[in-house]
Structure formats: structure tokens, C-alpha cells
Amino acid sequence: MLTNLRVLRSCWSSSPLPSSISVSTKQDRSRLQPTIRKYERSGCFEFVIDGEWEDEEPGDYDHQDRHKRATLTSEEEEDFQTIRGDDITVKSYRVESRITSRFAHTTIRSSVINSNSRAQSIGFSMQIPKRAFISNFTMNVNGITFVGSVKEKTVARRLYAQATARNKAAGIVRTNSQDMETFNTEVHVPPGSNIEFELHYQEMMERKLGLYEHFLYLEPGRLVPQFQVDVYIYEPKGISKIETTNTLGEQFTKLIKVTSTKDKAHVVFKPNLQQQRKCENCTGSAIDGVFSVKYDVTRDSNAGELQVSDLHFVHFFAPSNLSPLPKNIVFVIDVSGSMWGVKMKQTVEAMKAILDDLNIEDRFSIIDFNHNVRCWSEDLVPASSLQITDAKRYIQNIKPNGGTNINEALIRAAQMLVRASNQGFIDSSSVSMIILVSDGDPTVGEIKLSKIQKNVKRVMTEEFSLFSLGIGFDVDYDFLERIAMENRGMAQRIYANHDAAEQIRSFYSQVSSPLLKKVTIHFPEGTVTEVTQNYFDKYFSGSELVVAGKVQLSESNTLTSITSASAASLQFSLQTDADMTELDTELAKQQHSFTGFAKQMWAYLTVKQLIRERSLAATVGIKRRITKQITDLALQHSFVTPLTALLVESEDGTERLLADSPRDPRQGCCTGGQALSGPVKVVYTSPPSWIQLSTSTPSTQHQRGPEVEALPPKVNIVDNDPHFIIHLPGSNMDICFNIISKPGHILSLVSDTGTGVVVNGQLISSKQPRKSKLSTYFGIISVYYQPEGVSVTVSTDQITMTDGRNSHSFTWGATAEITQDGVKISIVKNSHVSVTINNSIQVMVLLHRVWKKHPVNVDFLGIYIPNDNQYSPLVHGLIGQFSREPEVSVYDIHEGPDPLKEEATMEVKGNTLLVTRGWQKDYRDDKKRGSNIYCWFIHNSAKGFIDGHYTDYILPDLNSFLQTV
């Protein structure tokens, strides 16, 4: 089936036209040059671009295909110009991108006049990101408007054939540039003609190394009176940083203007004619390069950002402040003869930098292969300085020669990881990966690609990932991509004529810091449908996981998502919520937002995912079913994909142009996107039998979200500035006291050397005194579990769990549950956090927020500790000592100076104290007003009620145990 013949034709004439040139074979088509024919009272042209025969049978490319890949690189040497033609006037060139919630809609418009005295062909070319989908193209030629619509290829061709078999042409072709493809259109017009071009494309911004990057290739090829680039960004949660990268030249640095607010940004580039010149008297344009805008968004929690718009949702997940997981890496390096020279030199340079980047907790080895396979070390070794020095020396001495035995090299690498796992050398919380670097196809040993793919899959366990780097265009990148995707990794092409060493290092940086494993983003049953991939084998620092789907109508106006994952030695579950209508209301207020972003992003992710699945389809039947799904979605959402075409026709339908999105023979049918990782959970209207869903069902707890254990009604409390309330259950009495101490002091609340549990609090002060009194509050609470070395530090900004090696932080912005080594943390969004140790000791910390601009008040914490905590007999501290309830006698109750506050005498611990009847607050149910707890108040910082003096409870640090009082 011929799927990639790229032909656009159109013609206007008042006299009969000869038939189209006959093209019978691909070889004929590839030899054809653009053919221009002149006829009386007519204007025509024909431009035919090489096509691809797409085989429905899954299998390998033959050797002719492999040879062809090596013959296509000459395109890189072509000079690129957006507007092509002799003696033409470009009136305007405008580019506008609207980015809303990481989804971009870009429009390029140009207006041209044929100032030549003769008819000629005028071309319009635009380089666009390979991950983008063209969504429309329109062209106006002397008042005839051609409007685009996406159709299934065969339908588009049939409609085109019905309209004309006469000579006009244009097409979409791919270049060999690093991240771009090129849209080409050419039209033959008489002198004085006016032509207007307009191209639209859409893409999702991918986060890499902590930033989203939107780039536009600008090369008008000549001076333009009206030249302008506008990039509008709207991110509902806010923009944390924005920067522009100027590759156009120093003279343009000050012409790029950036204005931004909390959630919006506008980048504009508008050089006048003189500013565009290469020099003061030059007639050529200096604008030639990539216009890049990089930005990141504000994140208020590690639970991610859930957005709902137009009955579609998008969940963005990019946690930070987590400790990296240890890595087990086998580097597999091609050292065949074709790697000789610059390729090997740059690979060695990159590998030295990568080895220096390994952490001491990582384990690694190196396999180099040509027709033979050699191991620097037969087993994984720790990344000590001694081992790294030896490995760098080994790499430096490699001399490329011989053939390519990819099959045996990958099998040996997988076997090395399996052996290390079986011998117990691999930490269960670590991440194991193979990184393959190769520049060619196999020539030794097993050379059949499908067989190699099966062999590698057989030896790779579900805990291992394969990442493939293909250098240059001799390598079968489609194969490298398939084998990586099938083994929970991803592939990237390394361009040999660019800085290959930097490209390899950059790729490694993206996967060098794994933070999470087994990430699942799911939703309560019956709330969403047609969800894109929601299980991810790994999450790497600086990247982002994105899940989208459709929202089911319900009585609730809130959508909830729950994310569960493993990080180092802990497990956690995070919950976030989104209002169903709030974002649509905000979008309607934004002048430059893309209001249909959620629906288009869902379609974009789904099509990309299906294209990847199609490349791995095991049978023709599966492939055809996926093909139909891709085609249906592409038609509904106007995406030009490898399976659809853009039909551009005049308003009366009599003249048509046809544009196909080709298959890149160097890269397969699927470019860009994120590799599938692990089992895929996708909800289809009718789930196909071939979809391999996860075999593990999330627990009921995960489906319902984090659960928080409730405290009993009567507890020990320390709240406000700070007021202590000690509940004595034996006498059903509450005793209150204040501790008047200094900001910065750390007070011991619970210190139990028997169980190894410590609860301490650090005081902060108000911003300034009120009535000559500086109030103090608890600003940090620490819960330390000594047997496992786990410490939980709660502040008004975040909750941090550390274990001596790893540190993980979570904000108050999401409900979450985290467990590690017998310690469970349950966070309720912007409310409170409960820390439970071995299901026997519980502490709840309540968050109090105040107006940030308040001249006096500050955010602070309250502590609530139940009496039934199972301490040892050694427990002490300002609260802990009362787990051994003292005998208390209160008598001689009488009216005090304040009629509302009685006075009495209390006998406790051999002391006689004057006490006052009053009340303090329990803020658990009402943080604004609280509920009254009536108690006997002890003066003088509880002197006589607590053991010793309150200063005995001041500690040197947050994890200190209390010494004997």
C-alpha cells in the first residue's frame, strides 16, 4: 500500500490542459525534478516528492532500506529559506504561538508579491518541531483561497483526483535536522501576483532538565517590512521562570522583549528593516536561526497539577525535592570500524564526563563490542574514584575496528544485571538500566532485527530498562526505538555533524537522576474515561509525566486524582483535586489563551501513544485496528499524521492541493513523544483484546486516596503562643500552662529512649511585639524514630522525611500518604499532618495560616498527641512525662479577681499551687475560632507541675533526646 507519496497539485486555466506526467515507480518519482509548464492563459506546476511503500506486515527493513538511509543526508547541506523566488517582495512575515498549560498552537503567516516581470514559482517553507502535528494550511493566490482540512489518505486522494489531474504540486518533506521537519509549498504564478500563506501546527511542550522549551526556526531569506514574532504563555498555576535563548546574533539581543505577570508572559521580537540587515548597507537579512523560549511553572505540591477544561482533564506530575534512586548501569558501546574518527572521539569525551557524574551509591560496568564482545568488568562495581579512573583509562584506549554484534552485546549486558540481582548486589530501591551507543546495523552474529528484538526482550526483566542512542544515519533508528520502547526505555538520535559529545551528555543528564519507580496516576471509579498512559516505570528529575482523559458528568463539581509511587525506601500516595468549571471561567478572560487545549492535548497524547503501540504491533490485525483508531482521532482533531493527509481546496471545491505527512525512512513512523514504560493502562470505548493491562490492581486505599487516622476527642495539645493543655484521663481533668521561652529554642515534648521516639518543637516569634510583648509559636516540629534513623520535620512550608542518606520533601499543597520503615505520614491538604510510628505512637501537627502581609502575626503549628500512645516507662518531656498520670487534688475553689475565672488550690507531685480556672482552644475542627477546653491554669511556666524547670527541656537540636531532668 502506497502511503507516503507526497503530491500537492492545483491548476487554473481557461483552456484545456495536458494530462499529468505519468509516474509509475518510486524510482521515477525520486528522479523527478519540479516541473514547470506554461500554457496560454494558465498557470501550472508539478512538484512530486519521493514516497514510501508501507508494508502492513510487521518485520524488518531489508538491506535496500538500510542503504537508502545513508543516501538521504545531503538535505542537511541545503540552504534553507522560508520564502523562495527571484525578484519577489515579502510584505510580511508573522509568527504567533499561544501556549496554554504546556500546549502550543503556532501560526505562521506570510504575504508575498511576485515583482518579477515573468511568471515564476514561489515557495514557502517552514521548519517545525518533529513532535508537532500540522493542523491546517491555507493559501490565497490572487483571490483564490485554498482552505485545508484533514482527511484519511485514500479519501483525500480520491477527492483530489476527482477535482483535477492537472499540474500543480506541493508537499511536506522531512529534513535531517536535529529536531525539525520541513513543510514545503510551491506555487507558479504570473507577474504581479499576490500570495498569502498560513500554516498552523500544534504540539505539547515536553519538560527536559527542568524547563519547557518552545523553539521557532526563523529564516525569511530576505528583508521583511513587517516582521514580528509573538509568543503568548498562560499557565494557570503561575510561571516560575522564563528566559529566551538568542541564537540569531548579538545585534538582536536587546530586541527580544519579555513581559510577564504571575501566570502570563509575552515574548515579542519585532526588528525593523534596518535592524534586520546583516550590516548597515547590506541587503541581506541577518535573521537566521532558532528563536527559543524556555520556561517553567509554579508547583505548589508534589502531587502534581490537575486541570479540567471542556470536559477533558490533564494531570501534570513533576515532583521535586526527592533524593535520587541509586543506579545500576551497563554502558554498551559500539567500537566497530565505522566508529573510527570523530564519532569515537566524541563518544569517549562524553563517556568520561558521564563516568565523573556517577554517585558513590551507583554501580556500573562497560561493554564494548565490534565482531567480538568485551567487558571492562564482568560484574557491576561501585562507582568509586578508583574504579572510575580505571574505566576512563579503558575507554581512552579503545581502537575501533571490525563488524557489529549488537545481539550478543545486549544479551551480555542484560545477563550482567540479572547476575548482580541474583547475587544480592542490587538494592531493591535502585534503578537498573542499559545504555546502548551505536552507529550502525548488525553485521556479525544475529543480524535479523526482529530476532535481536526477541532475544533482548527474553533476557530483560521488568526491573531493567534499555536506552538507545543512534549516532548518524547509517543506524536503523526505527529498530533502536522499538527495542527501547519494548524494554521500558527511550531512544534518541545523535547527530554526527553536530556536537555529538554534548548530545550524549545531555541525554544522559535526562536519565541520570531517577527519583521514582512504578508511578501510577489513577482516579476514583466512574469519574473519567479514555485515559492515556497512566503507569510509568520511572520518573526522572527535571522531566514531567502527563496523563489526560475525558471527564464523566456527575453531581460532583470536583475531580480527584491519586498518584502512588516508590521513592528510595519509601512508598507514597498523593491526592490532588480540581474544580470542574474554574479553569474554563479563567480561560474565557484570557485574550491570548488556547481555549481548546485540554481536548487537543488528550488527542495529541492518545495519537502519539497509539503510533508507538502500532510500531510494536505483533500482527497485521492488531496493526490495522490501531491504524483505524489513529485515523479516526486525527480526523476528529485535525492532525496530519503518518496516516492522514491535509486536503487544501478552493472555497468552491474545484481546485485542490494534497499534503501527506510522510514516513521518515531514517526514523520510522513515530517521532517524538515519551516511551511507554511498563504496562499501559488505557481506557478505550471497547478495549481491544490485545491491550496488555497491568496485572496488579491498585489497592482500595489507593483508589480512595490517602486515609488519615482520627485522634480521640481528648488529647494533649500545644497550640497558639504556645499554650499547653495536658489531659489527665484518670481524673478527667485538663491542666493548662504556658512556656515563656525565646525564639529559636527547641523544647522537648516527648523523649522516649525505650522506643527510640523523639518529638521536639522549635519556637519562632511574631514579626514584632504587640503591646510590648513578643509572642512565640512553634514553627517547626520534629518527630524522630531512632531505630530506623527516620526523621520527619514539619514546618509551615513543607514536610521533610530523611533517613540519613535520602531526603524527600512534600508541600502542604496536596493530600498525601508516605510510608517508610514503620513510619507513616498522612498529609491533609493545607490542614494537618499525622505521623504514626509502628501503629503505636501518633502525633498530629496542625497548620495555622495567617495573612502574609499581617504586620504582626506569622504562620505557626499546633501539636496534638493522644494519651493512648504506647510509650516505654522511660518516656519524658513536657508532654511525655504525663503518660504516667500524677495524682492531682484541687480544692478551695473560690471566686477570683475576674468573676469569670475561679481560683483554687492544687496539690500535685508534692507541691501546692495556686491555679486559675480558664479555657484554651482546640483548633482541630475550627482553625479560626476553635472550641473551648476548660482547664486549671498553672502559672510561672508550669513550675511545680512539670518535673524540674522549663529550661531543663531546652535541647541543642531537633533530633536530640532529653537528658535526665
Side-chain angles (χ1 to χ4, degrees):
M1 165 173 137
L2 182 63
T3 60
N4 294 290
L5 172 62
R6 288 158 281 162
V7 180
L8 277 80
R9 298 177 179 173
S10 183
C11 187
W12 54 93
S13 174
S14 59
S15 60
L17 294 173
S19 60
S20 173
I21 292 177
S22 175
V23 180
S24 59
T25 68
K26 290 198 290 180
Q27 288 78 12
D28 292 335
R29 287 193 296 272
S30 63
R31 288 195 298 267
L32 275 176
Q33 299 295 317
T35 302
I36 309 298
R37 299 181 179 181
K38 298 181 183 178
Y39 301 102
E40 183 180 0
R41 300 167 62 192
S42 70
C44 306
F45 74 93
E46 183 175 74
F47 185 58
V48 186
I49 303 164
D50 182 35
E52 279 291 316
W53 282 96
E54 183 180 75
D55 188 358
E56 284 289 355
E57 294 290 343
D60 297 318
Y61 296 118
D62 59 25
H63 292 287
Q64 289 181 347
D65 292 321
R66 298 182 192 178
H67 172 73
K68 180 174 62 180
R69 289 196 302 272
T71 67
L72 294 170
T73 58
S74 62
E75 292 174 354
E76 289 184 318
E77 307 303 323
E78 283 190 304
D79 291 332
F80 182 87
Q81 290 186 346
T82 300
I83 310 297
R84 303 184 308 280
D86 298 325
D87 194 17
I88 62 174
T89 302
V90 181
K91 295 191 298 182
S92 65
Y93 184 94
R94 299 178 184 273
V95 181
E96 179 183 278
S97 289
R98 299 188 179 198
I99 304 173
T100 299
S101 295
R102 291 79 142 176
F103 198 77
H105 183 114
T106 300
T107 305
I108 302 105
R109 300 181 179 91
S110 185
S111 179
V112 183
I113 297 175
N114 179 14
S115 303
N116 203 314
S117 59
R118 298 179 302 171
Q120 65 167 322
S121 294
I122 295 176
F124 171 77
S125 300
M126 190 66 202
Q127 293 199 38
I128 67 174
K130 283 184 176 176
R131 67 187 179 212
F133 287 141
I134 290 173
S135 57
N136 204 352
F137 173 71
T138 61
M139 182 169 65
N140 187 295
V141 182
N142 292 329
I144 300 176
T145 301
F146 296 85
V147 181
S149 60
V150 176
K151 298 186 182 297
E152 192 272 329
K153 281 182 184 283
T154 56
V155 173
R157 289 179 182 139
R158 184 175 68 249
L159 289 171
Y160 162 75
Q162 290 173 354
T164 179
R166 301 169 304 186
N167 309 312
K168 279 224 166 175
I172 303 170
V173 298
R174 293 186 189 273
T175 69
N176 290 342
S177 60
Q178 191 160 352
D179 295 301
M180 311 294 281
E181 68 179 16
T182 304
F183 176 87
N184 282 336
T185 301
E186 195 168 282
V187 60
H188 193 76
V189 295
S193 295
N194 288 275
I195 310 100
E196 295 178 355
F197 302 101
E198 184 171 314
L199 176 68
H200 298 255
Y201 63 86
Q202 297 177 355
E203 61 181 314
M204 185 184 80
M205 300 291 96
E206 293 182 6
R207 190 170 185 256
K208 294 182 179 180
L209 302 178
L211 290 171
Y212 307 96
E213 183 172 14
H214 181 64
F215 50 88
L216 303 166
Y217 191 89
L218 305 178
E219 218 295 353
R222 62 200 69 239
L223 301 176
V224 182
Q226 299 178 40
F227 185 98
Q228 184 164 337
V229 177
D230 291 284
V231 178
Y232 299 96
I233 304 172
Y234 173 62
E235 291 289 347
K237 288 292 185 180
I239 298 171
S240 62
K241 67 172 70 172
I242 183 167
E243 59 189 51
T244 58
T245 303
N246 177 24
T247 64
L248 302 174
E250 285 295 321
Q251 70 191 80
F252 297 116
T253 300
K254 295 182 179 180
L255 300 181
I256 301 174
K257 306 295 183 183
V258 180
T259 57
S260 62
T261 60
K262 174 181 176 293
D263 54 6
K264 291 186 287 291
H266 179 208
V267 182
V268 62
F269 176 54
K270 189 179 179 181
N272 60 35
L273 274 174
Q274 187 60 35
Q275 292 166 336
Q276 295 173 39
R277 298 180 189 275
K278 289 183 178 180
C279 63
E280 186 174 353
N281 298 317
C282 293
T283 58
S285 173
I287 301 175
D288 181 7
V290 175
F291 182 86
S292 170
V293 178
K294 297 180 180 180
Y295 75 97
D296 200 15
V297 301
T298 303
R299 294 175 177 84
D300 56 10
S301 83
N302 272 348
E305 182 180 348
L306 181 61
Q307 299 182 3
V308 180
S309 174
D310 195 18
L311 291 179
H312 287 73
F313 76 86
V314 185
H315 182 105
F316 303 98
F317 184 66
S320 57
N321 298 320
L322 302 172
S323 291
L325 301 171
K327 302 184 294 293
N328 313 295
I329 308 181
V330 182
F331 298 99
V332 181
I333 303 173
D334 184 346
V335 295
S336 61
S338 59
M339 287 287 289
W340 183 269
V342 175
K343 290 181 184 178
M344 195 71 238
K345 180 181 178 181
Q346 297 212 358
T347 300
V348 169
E349 180 186 339
M351 280 301 305
K352 286 181 177 180
I354 289 171
L355 290 172
D356 284 334
D357 190 58
L358 292 175
N359 300 318
I360 189 63
E361 298 87 1
D362 299 332
R363 302 176 73 88
F364 77 104
S365 187
I366 298 169
I367 292 176
D368 61 296
F369 69 95
N370 44 33
H371 50 283
N372 295 316
V373 176
R374 298 189 307 166
C375 298
W376 165 71
S377 170
E378 291 290 341
D379 297 300
L380 296 177
V381 300
S384 65
S385 58
L386 186 65
Q387 299 285 13
I388 288 174
T389 300
D390 188 61
K392 289 162 73 175
R393 187 183 304 115
Y394 177 84
I395 291 173
Q396 184 67 53
N397 292 328
I398 289 176
K399 297 292 187 286
N401 66 86
T404 308
N405 192 346
I406 292 179
N407 183 69
E408 185 180 347
L410 289 177
I411 290 175
R412 290 275 291 275
Q415 289 173 341
M416 187 181 293
L417 290 175
V418 170
R419 187 166 60 250
S421 179
N422 292 339
Q423 293 173 350
F425 294 140
I426 290 182
D427 189 320
S428 60
S429 66
S430 64
V431 168
S432 299
M433 62 179 75
I434 297 170
I435 297 181
L436 168 68
V437 181
S438 179
D439 78 330
D441 292 331
T443 60
V444 177
E446 180 59 68
I447 63 172
K448 190 175 182 182
L449 300 183
S450 60
K451 184 66 174 176
I452 296 174
Q453 189 173 337
K454 291 176 182 176
N455 291 342
V456 173
K457 185 178 181 181
R458 187 179 65 250
V459 295
M460 292 280 287
T461 74
E462 290 187 359
E463 296 299 315
F464 304 159
S465 296
L466 171 62
F467 297 91
S468 304
L469 297 176
I471 300 180
F473 292 94
D474 293 332
V475 68
D476 189 325
Y477 184 80
D478 189 54
F479 163 70
L480 292 183
E481 189 171 51
R482 286 200 310 273
I483 202 171
M485 286 192 298
E486 194 169 41
N487 292 286
R488 297 158 294 282
M490 58 185 176
Q492 181 166 312
R493 189 187 294 282
I494 303 299
Y495 296 85
N497 61 336
H498 291 68
D499 185 354
E502 178 56 34
Q503 292 175 61
I504 295 172
R505 288 196 298 267
S506 177
F507 176 84
Y508 175 75
S509 296
Q510 295 177 45
V511 300
S512 65
S513 188
L515 299 184
L516 299 175
K517 295 171 62 176
K518 300 177 181 177
V519 182
T520 305
I521 300 173
H522 42 94
F523 304 82
E525 186 176 353
T527 60
V528 296
T529 61
E530 299 186 59
V531 180
T532 61
Q533 177 190 351
N534 68 337
Y535 175 89
F536 304 88
D537 189 64
K538 298 172 185 67
Y539 166 74
F540 296 98
S541 177
S543 65
E544 184 171 61
L545 305 179
V546 183
V547 177
K550 296 180 178 180
V551 178
Q552 287 191 309
L553 290 172
S554 66
E555 295 181 359
S556 173
N557 197 42
T558 301
L559 179 65
T560 298
S561 70
I562 303 102
T563 303
S564 57
S566 301
S569 56
L570 61 82
Q571 308 285 326
F572 65 76
S573 178
L574 307 170
Q575 177 180 314
T576 188
D577 304 300
D579 187 276
M580 303 272 275
T581 59
E582 184 178 46
L583 181 55
D584 283 331
T585 302
E586 285 301 314
L587 288 172
K589 301 175 184 176
Q590 307 303 322
Q591 181 180 0
H592 298 290
S593 67
F594 178 32
T595 54
F597 85 92
K599 181 185 292 186
Q600 289 300 97
M601 185 176 287
W602 167 79
Y604 177 96
L605 287 171
T606 303
V607 170
K608 291 283 186 181
Q609 179 177 310
L610 288 170
I611 288 174
R612 294 193 297 267
E613 292 175 8
R614 185 177 183 271
S615 72
L616 299 174
T619 68
V620 174
I622 293 173
K623 192 170 185 178
R624 285 174 178 165
R625 283 195 292 270
I626 302 175
T627 297
K628 185 178 186 307
Q629 288 178 301
I630 295 171
T631 302
D632 290 347
L633 271 175
L635 297 181
Q636 292 170 23
H637 295 269
S638 296
F639 289 151
V640 178
T641 71
L643 305 173
T644 53
L646 183 67
L647 183 71
V648 185
E649 57 185 337
S650 58
E651 293 176 317
D652 60 8
T654 58
E655 304 198 40
R656 291 181 172 133
L657 299 87
L658 181 63
D660 285 359
S661 174
R663 176 182 183 180
D664 185 348
R666 301 174 305 278
Q667 197 160 9
C669 68
C670 42
T671 60
Q674 186 172 23
L676 291 174
S677 307
V680 181
K681 294 185 178 180
V682 187
V683 181
Y684 293 95
T685 306
S686 300
S689 59
W690 49 267
I691 288 292
Q692 182 180 358
L693 298 177
S694 171
T695 55
S696 60
T697 303
S699 65
T700 302
Q701 177 181 344
H702 283 167
Q703 291 176 343
R704 295 177 179 174
E707 295 181 353
V708 180
E709 297 179 11
L711 295 180
K714 293 288 190 176
V715 295
N716 300 301
I717 300 172
V718 188
D719 215 325
N720 219 305
D721 61 343
H723 302 309
F724 285 72
I725 305 174
I726 303 299
H727 178 65
L728 303 177
S731 56
N732 194 25
M733 185 183 301
D734 292 295
I735 308 297
C736 302
F737 59 87
N738 296 339
I739 295 294
I740 309 299
S741 193
K742 296 180 180 179
H745 279 178
I746 298 171
L747 301 181
S748 172
L749 303 177
V750 176
S751 178
D752 188 358
T753 56
T755 61
V757 173
V758 165
V759 181
N760 295 327
Q762 185 170 30
L763 295 171
I764 59 173
S765 70
S766 56
K767 295 176 183 177
Q768 58 184 357
R770 174 183 288 170
K771 297 180 180 179
S772 301
K773 178 180 178 292
L774 187 68
S775 299
T776 57
Y777 310 86
F778 279 117
I780 299 176
I781 301 297
S782 174
V783 181
Y784 176 52
Y785 184 41
Q786 187 186 45
E788 298 293 346
V790 176
S791 175
V792 180
T793 304
V794 183
S795 71
T796 56
D797 295 322
Q798 62 185 12
I799 300 96
T800 302
M801 173 180 270
T802 58
D803 62 6
R805 292 186 307 167
N806 304 301
S807 177
H808 309 282
S809 296
F810 302 86
T811 71
W812 285 95
T815 297
E817 183 177 293
I818 306 103
T819 58
Q820 176 179 348
D821 299 326
V823 179
K824 181 171 76 171
I825 304 174
S826 300
I827 305 170
V828 175
K829 180 179 179 181
N830 294 326
S831 176
H832 61 273
V833 57
S834 294
V835 180
T836 306
I837 299 173
N838 289 334
N839 295 318
S840 59
I841 296 175
Q842 187 178 8
V843 177
M844 191 185 87
V845 181
L846 192 68
L847 174 66
H848 292 272
R849 293 280 194 213
V850 300
W851 181 41
K852 290 187 180 297
K853 296 182 180 180
H854 196 285
V856 177
N857 296 341
V858 293
D859 295 345
F860 64 94
L861 304 172
I863 304 97
Y864 294 73
I865 302 177
N867 289 90
D868 57 1
N869 278 350
Q870 298 172 30
Y871 305 118
S872 79
L874 301 177
V875 67
H876 212 281
L878 288 169
I879 293 177
Q881 63 185 286
F882 295 103
S883 66
R884 300 177 296 276
E885 185 173 332
E887 291 187 12
V888 177
S889 173
V890 178
Y891 57 91
D892 188 23
I893 300 173
H894 58 274
E895 185 177 298
D898 185 343
L900 298 177
K901 295 182 179 180
E902 297 176 321
E903 292 185 344
T905 301
M906 175 184 289
E907 290 190 0
V908 59
K909 296 182 179 181
N911 300 309
T912 301
L913 308 175
L914 176 65
V915 296
T916 303
R917 189 67 168 168
W919 62 87
Q920 295 297 343
K921 297 286 188 177
D922 181 339
Y923 292 97
R924 285 178 291 174
D925 295 328
D926 185 345
K927 284 201 287 186
K928 186 175 182 180
R929 290 178 293 271
S931 57
N932 291 335
I933 295 181
Y934 290 91
C935 58
W936 289 108
F937 183 81
I938 299 175
H939 304 273
N940 300 321
S941 294
K943 183 178 180 181
F945 182 66
I946 60 174
D947 295 337
H949 192 268
Y950 86 88
T951 55
D952 298 331
Y953 298 85
I954 298 175
L955 302 175
D957 62 66
L958 284 167
N959 289 345
S960 294
F961 282 87
L962 179 66
Q963 303 302 312
T964 303
V965 177

